[in-house]
Amino acid sequence: MLLSIESSCDDSSLALTDIASAKLVFHHKISQDSAHSVYGGVVPEIASRLHTKGLPEILAILKGELGDFTRLKAVAITTEPGLSVSLIEGLMMAKLLALSLRIPLIAINHLIGHFYSLFINQCEAIFPMSVLLVSGGHTQIMQARSEEEFLIIAQSLDDSFGESFDKVAKMLSLGYPGGPIIESYASKLSPTTRIHSLPLPLKDKHGFSFSGLKNATRLLIESLSSHDPSKVDSRLKVDSSLNESDKALVCASFQKAAIAHISNQVEKYLKHKNNDGIRDFAIVGGASSNASLRAEIERLCTRFGLRLHLAPLEFCADNAAMIGRAAIPEWQKGIFADSIAQEVSPRSTTNYLHTL
């Protein structure tokens, strides 16, 4: 079996995957949402400290179930991209296990891991495939051409899709993570309620950008706010004087514009790349759990005659199960990292993950 570790941001996670069948044998994750919620976003130093506590706790649970680690054949670890202070905690554990058990270390790119979240418990992955990755740190359209080649077609110029939800939630003092909260508030709005029209970013250009939309949402909040000084949170610098109805209105307006931006860019990609013969399209990443986004991309896939693939909701956010699944092709090809090297990276990105 293969042990995998994920600590790229604020989730401590370990998984155990059977190499031959790709079946997930064990998976456990400790979320840090409550610790970061008061700040309206992830605080790297806090995330790092909590990983030092959470990762050994999960390892102890795993050892209790296994009895020993004699069946382990390799340790897979997320090494990029992510918060450096969080990544290092998982890497140190992975190195220690690999060296002490005398088994190989496999370095995995986090973004490739999200692609393989589609194929947890499945032996065969589908290639080629177009992939929309939407998370707290990334917004990208990729082509998964083979196990050896992932091509980035378009990506965000500033904020990511998920990050923009977090920041709007912070403006409204709604808590963290912002994605599910914004979605919940937006769903409270009556279908007959007229929402505000926010600008569509990069309407005639390729790529993603959410900074302008975020600012437009801030201006909308200010226009609806009473600006009562007693309602201003001095730590977060946001005005929380909006009533629940106005908050729902802001959330619905923002979410509709953000998804319209994603849809517009995906549609342009499908029109341009439709002759490549790629008939499969997927949405992955933590923000891919948004029901409205899924419905919009499903509409586009139906229009263009594509098969839509969705990761199970429990594996949309960062998790070690997807890292373990991504490590199986590396194990099969004997692509291992140096356990004693100071810096550990996935295989050369020259033809593995590159930008068009």
Side-chain angles (χ1 to χ4, degrees):
M1 292 186 289
L2 190 153
L3 173 65
S4 52
I5 303 171
E6 160 61 30
S7 68
S8 64
C9 190
D10 60 335
D11 286 319
S12 302
S13 181
L14 269 70
L16 200 62
T17 303
D18 182 82
I19 296 173
S21 67
K23 294 296 182 182
L24 184 62
V25 178
F26 170 91
H27 179 243
H28 192 85
K29 181 166 78 170
I30 297 177
S31 171
Q32 301 179 4
D33 287 352
S34 60
H36 299 287
S37 181
V38 66
Y39 302 100
V42 176
V43 180
E45 291 78 6
I46 294 176
S48 179
R49 289 200 299 270
L50 290 177
H51 282 308
T52 65
K53 179 176 182 290
L55 291 172
E57 287 182 359
I58 303 174
L59 188 64
I61 295 172
L62 175 60
K63 189 174 186 301
E65 293 192 12
L66 280 180
D68 58 53
F69 294 139
T70 55
R71 295 183 63 192
L72 295 185
K73 297 298 182 184
V75 180
I77 177 64
T78 305
T79 56
E80 63 179 33
L83 298 175
S84 59
V85 292
S86 291
L87 288 168
I88 195 68
E89 300 298 344
L91 180 59
M92 290 303 100
M93 172 179 277
K95 283 185 173 185
L96 176 62
L97 288 168
L99 289 169
S100 61
L101 297 172
R102 297 182 180 180
I103 56 178
L105 180 68
I106 301 175
I108 297 296
N109 182 292
H110 182 74
L111 306 184
I112 305 302
H114 274 301
F115 167 75
Y116 278 100
S117 68
L118 297 163
F119 307 107
I120 294 170
N121 290 316
Q122 299 178 40
C123 280
E124 298 296 327
I126 297 173
F127 297 100
M129 180 182 287
S130 297
V131 182
L132 171 66
L133 191 160
V134 280
S135 68
H138 299 86
T139 302
Q140 297 178 335
I141 295 175
M142 297 191 298
Q143 283 183 357
R145 296 187 171 183
S146 69
E147 290 179 349
E148 291 79 24
E149 185 176 17
F150 291 77
L151 179 66
I152 299 174
I153 303 296
Q155 57 189 340
S156 180
L157 304 175
D158 40 63
D159 291 353
S160 70
F161 181 74
E163 182 184 8
S164 65
F165 275 73
D166 290 339
K167 290 182 177 178
V168 169
K170 183 175 180 178
M171 293 177 196
L172 294 169
S173 299
L174 296 180
Y176 172 85
I181 301 173
I182 295 288
E183 184 177 11
S184 176
Y185 265 84
S187 68
K188 295 177 183 178
L189 203 66
S190 169
T192 59
T193 302
R194 184 177 179 180
I195 65 174
H196 290 264
S197 179
L198 296 176
L200 183 66
L202 302 180
K203 184 176 181 180
D204 300 315
K205 298 181 180 180
H206 292 280
F208 299 96
S209 173
F210 293 93
S211 60
L213 178 56
K214 180 185 64 178
N215 188 55
T217 305
R218 179 184 61 81
L219 295 175
L220 173 60
I221 294 171
E222 290 180 356
S223 71
L224 297 172
S225 173
S226 68
H227 297 291
D228 180 351
S230 66
K231 298 293 185 178
V232 176
D233 186 319
S234 60
R235 183 177 63 248
L236 299 181
K237 305 298 182 184
V238 291
D239 192 323
S240 58
S241 63
L242 298 188
N243 58 40
E244 292 297 291
S245 178
D246 283 341
K247 288 180 180 179
L249 180 61
V250 171
C251 289
S253 300
F254 163 74
Q255 178 176 262
K256 182 175 182 179
I259 292 176
H261 176 37
I262 293 284
S263 176
N264 180 51
Q265 295 301 321
V266 170
E267 182 177 358
K268 284 190 285 190
Y269 162 72
L270 293 178
K271 285 180 177 178
H272 184 257
K273 293 294 179 182
N274 204 31
N275 294 326
D276 279 3
I278 301 178
R279 310 310 304 161
D280 294 274
F281 192 96
I283 320 174
V284 300
S288 70
S289 61
N290 185 288
S292 297
L293 175 64
R294 288 188 170 209
E296 178 59 22
I297 299 302
E298 183 177 16
R299 182 190 68 80
L300 282 175
C301 287
T302 299
R303 175 184 163 189
F304 285 92
L306 305 177
R307 292 179 291 266
L308 177 63
H309 302 264
L310 301 167
L313 289 176
E314 64 180 307
F315 298 126
C316 286
D318 297 348
N319 64 87
M322 68 186 192
I323 303 304
R325 179 60 186 85
I328 291 179
E330 308 297 281
W331 163 265
Q332 293 170 337
K333 293 179 174 64
I335 301 174
F336 304 132
D338 187 346
S339 301
I340 62 174
Q342 184 174 355
E343 295 185 7
V344 177
S345 300
R347 71 168 89 182
S348 171
T349 58
T350 303
N351 66 341
Y352 183 51
L353 178 64
H354 57 286
T355 304
L356 182 66

